[in-house]
Amino acid sequence: MGNQYMTDTEEGLLKTYNRFPVVLDHGEGMYLYDTEGKKYLDFTAGIAVCSLGHGNKAFNDALKAQIDKMIHTSNLYYNTTCGQAAQALKKISQMDKVFFTNSGTEAVEGALKAARKYAYEKKSGRYEFIAMEDAFHGRSMGAVSVTGHKEYREPFEPMIDGVHFATFNDLGSVKALVNDKTCAIIMETIQGEGGINPATPEFIEGVRKICDENDILLILDEIQCGMGRSGSYFAWQQMGVKPDIMTMAKAIGNGVPVGAFAMTQKVAEYSLKPGDHGTTYGGNPFACAAVNKVIELFEEEKILDHVNEIAPYLTEKLEEIVAACDKAVKVKGKGLIQGLQVSVPVGEVSRKALEEGLLVISAGGNVLRMIPPLIVEKEHIDEMAEILKKVLA
Ligand SMILES: *Cc1c(COP(=O)(O)O)cnc(C)c1O
């Protein structure tokens, strides 16, 4: 223990989570270990964050070097680490301008502000957002206002003005909500928390068309499905559409808290200007060193190729579980963001899996979320499938 104030108990934490009954201590590659030394196969990756696995030496060394060089400067001073990270993210995201945040929620918050500022500068009188049922965008007042779970919003009402919810993958329901006040349409390219639901190509193309015809901005939230998990850097890159604004976080820092929103030149020209938005920590040299190293390692270790090679094997094994176990209903998703729908309480499945040494969380009411580190190999998928077959027997 470091000082007289430190005692090891959860008691001081505000109870906003029902945590799993395990105390994790350290990790290596695809595995985490608890304080008793028990080993767990990790199919959660800290909620789609630790894509390079745990204890990646090259990543950790880069962080250590940056710590000794410079951790923080504030955004009032330019630093090259941050500039490089923006260039790298621009390249992989095909966007033109990047703003760094400290979390996914803040990336969404910034994206909403960027869209409203665009409408303001254009004097279009537009301020409304169309969001999707079952969407998850975070917990701040703006982000929760566009989150499609009533129970997340209700205790905090009134929400921000002018948000309407359409049904995901139902273009008619979006069209019915579009009017001359609509400023932006926001959605996840693949809904994560809502149950691993990919947007259909017809839906996303249709939404893009509505946006183009009305000077409405399309905001794609790639915080969970982005950064290689779908098999391309960002999931929309496989769908023949491009957003005007996009959000990223989670895996771009591999565990270092960092997010970003990015926009095309068309939006940037009319959007946030000096004084409109800011953050003390956002994009500090430490966080940006993480982003730079993550992208470097993705290229060096050909992570995208690996995702595309291994993902069909994950689907195959999940299909095998569906065939073998009555309680497993169907497989959803793509790449290394897949879901196994079950017909029994999914929380219980997660808890039993934990006892058997597998970390796996739920999505929506009845889906087991398969979001392992992207370095997962066939042997790990086999190990996961054996455990789930036992748990779902
Ligand atoms: C996790 C998540 C967020 C919120 O990110 P935080 O870093 O938890 O604030 C927003 N959108 C999506 C799609 C997410 O999965």
Side-chain angles (χ1 to χ4, degrees):
M1 287 287 124
N3 65 46
Q4 60 170 316
Y5 302 110
M6 282 170 78
T7 47
D8 177 15
T9 166
E10 244 182 285
E11 186 269 333
L13 292 167
L14 185 65
K15 192 156 168 50
T16 53
Y17 284 95
N18 289 311
R19 293 192 168 87
F20 285 102
V22 62
V23 185
L24 295 172
D25 184 72
H26 62 280
E28 200 186 334
M30 284 292 299
Y31 293 91
L32 283 162
Y33 298 80
D34 69 14
T35 44
E36 324 264 81
K38 183 175 166 185
K39 185 178 179 183
Y40 298 86
L41 175 63
D42 185 10
F43 263 65
T44 300
I47 320 189
V49 168
C50 308
S51 284
L52 299 169
H54 302 283
N56 182 300
K57 188 169 179 325
F59 180 67
N60 293 354
D61 285 347
L63 294 185
K64 288 172 195 167
Q66 185 63 48
I67 286 171
D68 286 338
K69 196 174 171 203
M70 183 165 71
I71 295 180
H72 180 77
T73 57
S74 95
N75 281 302
L76 298 176
Y77 306 95
Y78 172 74
N79 70 83
T80 53
T81 315
C82 181
Q84 283 160 2
Q87 286 297 332
L89 279 187
K90 268 179 61 166
K91 192 136 194 229
I92 63 169
S93 73
Q94 301 162 246
M95 294 282 114
D96 297 312
K97 298 287 177 190
V98 177
F99 181 100
F100 286 104
T101 67
N102 311 290
S103 68
T105 299
E106 285 169 82
V108 170
E109 207 63 42
L112 298 175
K113 279 182 73 177
R116 281 211 173 154
K117 184 71 196 312
Y118 176 85
Y120 178 86
E121 284 291 326
K122 287 212 145 185
K123 302 187 169 52
S124 67
R126 295 173 178 272
Y127 66 93
E128 291 189 356
F129 294 108
I130 298 175
M132 301 299 147
E133 290 296 347
D134 296 324
F136 183 81
H137 297 295
R139 306 292 200 142
S140 62
M141 288 304 272
V144 83
S145 292
V146 291
T147 285
H149 300 270
K150 201 165 182 296
E151 68 282 11
Y152 290 173
R153 300 193 305 264
E154 212 167 52
F156 310 104
E157 285 171 352
M159 297 283 97
I160 65 166
D161 250 9
V163 179
H164 304 286
F165 288 94
T167 307
F168 193 57
N169 281 336
D170 176 351
L171 196 58
S173 77
V174 177
K175 283 185 178 154
L177 294 172
V178 171
N179 62 45
D180 61 3
K181 294 270 172 280
T182 311
C183 161
I185 301 177
I186 180 168
M187 61 190 210
E188 295 152 271
T189 319
I190 303 173
Q191 288 189 334
E193 150 107 12
I196 315 296
N197 307 310
T200 62
E202 310 79 70
F203 182 66
I204 205 162
E205 282 165 22
V207 169
R208 179 68 267 179
K209 193 153 172 275
I210 292 171
C211 291
D212 290 340
E213 288 168 357
N214 299 283
D215 202 18
I216 295 170
L217 299 177
L218 174 61
I219 304 172
L220 290 181
D221 182 343
E222 289 262 353
I223 290 168
Q224 187 160 163
C225 61
M227 203 57 212
R229 194 158 279 284
S230 69
S232 49
Y233 267 114
F234 297 98
W236 60 262
Q237 290 165 330
Q238 298 169 46
M239 307 187 85
V241 297
K242 186 174 170 178
D244 301 296
I245 304 176
M246 63 173 283
T247 58
M248 40 201 147
K250 294 201 163 98
I252 70 168
N254 195 52
V256 171
V258 51
F261 61 95
M263 61 189 77
T264 60
Q265 189 57 34
K266 173 189 111 168
V267 182
E269 259 161 44
Y270 290 91
S271 194
L272 304 169
K273 296 284 171 328
D276 284 336
H277 197 58
T279 163
T280 298
Y281 291 138
N284 81 12
F286 179 65
C288 287
V291 172
N292 284 331
K293 198 65 191 180
V294 165
I295 296 173
E296 191 183 317
L297 289 170
F298 261 66
E299 296 289 318
E300 253 174 52
E301 296 178 15
K302 298 190 168 46
I303 298 284
L304 296 186
D305 291 345
H306 179 67
V307 171
N308 288 309
E309 254 167 53
I310 200 92
Y313 190 71
L314 175 61
T315 312
E316 186 187 319
K317 282 283 149 178
L318 293 174
E319 294 288 2
E320 235 178 76
I321 299 173
V322 170
C325 310
D326 289 345
K327 294 173 188 166
V329 181
K330 74 170 188 189
V331 183
K332 313 203 270 182
K334 61 152 59 154
L336 291 179
I337 175 160
Q338 298 194 36
L340 178 65
Q341 192 176 319
V342 295
S343 60
V344 288
V346 67
E348 236 152 84
V349 179
S350 286
R351 277 189 293 278
K352 280 190 194 154
L354 177 77
E355 279 169 31
E356 299 294 330
L358 171 67
L359 302 180
V360 61
I361 58 169
S362 62
N366 58 4
V367 175
L368 274 181
R369 188 165 4 175
M370 299 288 153
I371 45 172
L374 302 185
I375 57 164
V376 65
E377 297 288 351
K378 280 185 176 179
E379 72 209 57
H380 308 116
I381 294 172
D382 290 340
E383 188 182 339
M384 173 278 295
E386 281 317 301
I387 295 175
L388 280 189
K389 275 184 199 161
K390 192 170 159 194
V391 168
L392 291 167

